[in-house]
Amino acid sequence: MSSVRVVARIRPLLRTELRKDVIIEAAQNSRDSLGNPTIVRIPNPKNAGEEFSFQFNSVYDQEATQDAIFQAEITPTIKHLFQGFDVTLFAYGVTGTGKTWTMKGGKSLAERGVIPRLLSGVYRRGRKLEKDSQGETTVEVSLSYYEIYNDRVFDLFEAPEKRTATGLPLREAGGKTHVVGLVERACTTLKEFEQLYDEANLNRSTSATKLNAHSSRSHAILCVKLSITTGDEVKISTASAIDLAGSEDNRRTENGKERLVESASINKSLFVLSQCVEAISKKQNRIPYRESKMTRILGLGQNQGITVMILNLAPVRSYHLDTLSSLNFANRTKKIETKEIENEPIFKGPAKAIASITGSSIQRQPLRPLASNTSLTRRNSPASKKGTERPTKEFSVFSDRPYTSNQFSMASQAKRDSSAVKRPLETLTTTRPAKLLRPSGHLRPVRNDAPSLTKATVEELVERKVEAILAARALDGPAKAPERISEEVQRRLDQLEQRIEDKEDGRSEGLNYLLMAKQHLVRGEDASALRMYQLATSFFPDNEKLAHKVAALQEKLRARKREEEPPMPVLHEKVMNGQRRSRARADDSNYESQEQSASSEYEEEETVRSRPKPHKVAKLQRPFSADAPAGEQTPRTQHLLQIINSRDISRIKLLRGIGAKKAETIIESLGLVDEDDLIEDLAQLGRLKGVGAKTVQNMRSSLVH
């Protein structure tokens, strides 16, 4: 027994990412300070002062190369593959963390991923094995490549136009899950593999999202079948390289209708995988493998062999929660135990020799009972010619009258007919040699040890023989051709089948929208849930329960919007009159006058007679214009611009009206600007994405002088 080997890899920074946003650190174990890093450290998203640590078999930082990971983690599995063990390699992580790059890699020699290097190692070791055995051992490699798209299996070696709508079915055999109808192609060289692999990848489902320009929309599985033949012994082992699609947050990817359906299918299969891992770690009796085709094929915990999981991580803060979820999943996966059982070899048996009908090598058939040859022996013996007394008959049904030539010929003919029916193989294949008669002048009497047969018993035997003959004739006769269905009936059957398939496809898409709506409700995202329910309404127009949910969510959002509108405070009559006069004199186009009116408003609030925490009166502001006159900036404005230019998300989130999501939007907008260029005035700040005049005013008002 061995556990799943988990290897963590931290991808390098992208061009749009900043080094100061890195939150993941690869650390060494305190007991082994000279070895490779084995610990991943990440801060607690709820408490920046607290830090989480996860320990794995190996951890590779941003500087790790493709060759270093392959030589340390994948090369040892090639040796086990040639020893008859099955090997499973799969990459796991969120979308945009580099799973496809790890498994597939680039075109150059240094950028090749796990799969091309695995095939290169297999061919190199196979040639060495054939050379060392001087041709007694042969190594054959065959490939099969397929994808799981929207929980349907498609062969990537076939063109998309040849696919069926339902995909290929799955079958269980020998404790393993097999794909029925999968094309298996022999591959003898690495160059031939690269050509097949590149052509098959063109058939894989990929698309662009906001986080990844070449996002994988399906799980891809490459099966490498290795057959080693030595004499009569054949040893077969399989290596499965799996590139899983990453989980997606539709709020960040901004997926459309088709991408939403794909995202729901991907998230569902990964959710079932996490349920299987949790059930295995808790040693539950039922593990939900069959709830997704991906978990049925992966068979984590059921496969007998070596399993290596490559966990891909993004180092920046924008992936904080997703990275923490992936680390928790990998931490449970490394506790799963697998059985390292070698596949049993298959032996080629020698060809069956055809028996000769002549010569010393003939094999005699077993002797028949003595009763079947009694009459023939007695007829041909010299004693019968001298008129000696005949021995007692074997069966009591025969009469004691002497045989005539006519009777003897009829009995012999019936005997031959019966033998042709009873023993067809003996008659057609070999000829039984005649038994030589003894030269003695008399025969020994035949012992009558068999019990006497009654008339009823004989009739029963005859009836059985007749039934056997009729059954043999029925089997030898021509098979009855099935009745042909008319063209009209066949056309109606095809229309009915097509109607059922269309209905099922629409229903499955509607169910995916309902599933995404429930996920948004669990997270507290009522607006997104309402949108998913409205999309599902077109697939279930007569569902009263769904219509009731849509109406309830709309009412809930309207009530929340009414609660968020601040009530007007009760002000002193003089203060109100002063504000009306100052508002009438204010010039909205001049920002300095707005600052003066805002400061006077804060001074007058001390005399306001209202609740302990009154709401400030919101003043109508015009959007900032680029040609606004640049006056002298107040200390409050300078302090605000200093916080924004620091690009520290923790300080920006403390401003009034700025949440975590809006703070990330501001940081992303600042990332598009060079670090040397700073925000110089409030008008420039108001033109950033997600920031307006009202937001700038709220941020200024939250600062003290």
Side-chain angles (χ1 to χ4, degrees), residues 375-433:
S375 301
L376 181 60
T377 305
R378 187 186 307 112
R379 190 70 180 174
N380 296 335
S381 62
S384 61
K385 296 180 181 179
K386 295 179 182 179
T388 57
E389 184 180 357
R390 294 184 179 89
T392 308
K393 299 296 184 181
E394 186 72 18
F395 300 99
S396 60
V397 295
F398 292 136
S399 63
D400 293 334
R401 292 179 298 173
Y403 280 98
T404 62
S405 60
N406 188 19
Q407 290 176 344
F408 180 78
S409 61
M410 292 177 62
S412 300
Q413 182 67 25
K415 191 178 192 74
R416 286 194 296 269
D417 296 343
S418 176
S419 300
V421 175
K422 292 179 182 177
R423 304 174 66 88
L425 294 177
E426 296 174 3
T427 306
L428 298 175
T429 56
T430 59
T431 303
R432 182 177 177 183

Side-chain angles (χ1 to χ4, degrees), residues 614-632:
H615 294 277
K616 297 179 178 61
V617 178
K619 302 187 69 176
L620 296 176
Q621 303 287 347
R622 296 180 61 184
F624 298 102
S625 58
D627 54 352
E632 184 179 356

Side-chain angles (χ1 to χ4, degrees), residues 8-15 17-27 37 40-41 59-66 68-69 97 101-102 311-317:
R9 182 182 188 182
I10 305 173
R11 71 160 171 80
L13 292 174
L14 303 179
R15 288 180 296 178
E17 296 173 346
L18 303 177
R19 185 165 296 276
K20 65 180 181 179
D21 294 332
V22 174
I23 58 174
I24 297 180
E25 177 186 0
V40 176
R41 291 177 179 171
V59 177
Y60 296 90
D61 57 9
Q62 303 177 26
E63 307 299 329
T65 61
Q66 299 273 54
I69 297 176
T97 54
W101 175 261
T102 301
L311 176 64
N312 293 85
L313 303 173
V316 293
R317 190 180 300 275

Side-chain angles (χ1 to χ4, degrees), residues 236-278:
I236 299 176
S237 55
T238 305
S240 300
I242 305 173
D243 179 17
L244 296 178
S247 59
E248 295 183 350
D249 187 352
N250 294 320
R251 295 171 300 178
R252 299 176 59 196
T253 56
E254 297 182 359
N255 290 329
K257 180 179 179 181
E258 185 177 357
R259 301 287 86 81
L260 281 174
V261 176
E262 297 170 349
S263 176
S265 178
I266 294 171
N267 291 340
K268 176 189 173 183
S269 60
L270 296 175
F271 177 68
V272 174
L273 178 61
S274 64
Q275 283 185 323
C276 293
V277 171
E278 185 176 1

